[in-house]
Amino acid sequence: MIFRTDAELYDEIGANIKFYRKKAGLTQQDLADKAQISISYLSKLEAAGCKKSISISMLNNIANALEMELVRFFERRKRL
């Protein structure tokens, strides 16, 4: 997959974090606690149009908290 801009990449990652969090039945607070990050940071990552960057290490923490593979955050999914 190709992301033409950083904003496009961050939007996809944020949308996928939100999708998999909801799929797991977790609130933002639940996931923030499990991933050991602030709810404020998680909220910013999930926000559409957010330009907030994220380290691979932090993304890995979130993936581990969701018990999923890190690569899933980079997949393009059809939006409803």
Side-chain angles (χ1 to χ4, degrees), residues 3-73:
F3 296 98
R4 304 225 181 267
T5 65
D6 288 349
E8 188 179 329
L9 171 64
Y10 300 146
D11 281 347
E12 195 67 37
I13 290 171
N16 282 327
I17 291 171
K18 184 175 184 177
F19 173 81
Y20 289 111
R21 173 183 59 78
K22 287 185 171 189
K23 186 175 179 181
L26 299 174
T27 64
Q28 284 185 332
Q29 187 65 62
D30 294 335
L31 180 54
D33 291 344
K34 286 182 80 167
Q36 299 179 342
I37 60 175
S38 73
I39 190 170
S40 172
Y41 183 64
L42 178 60
S43 177
K44 288 176 184 172
L45 292 174
E46 288 187 357
C50 178
K51 308 284 189 284
K52 188 83 173 161
S53 65
I54 184 169
S55 71
I56 293 297
S57 176
M58 186 63 65
L59 198 57
N60 190 55
N61 287 349
I62 296 170
N64 288 338
L66 290 169
E67 298 178 7
M68 58 178 276
E69 294 180 13
L70 179 71
V71 70
R72 305 293 301 267
F73 290 129

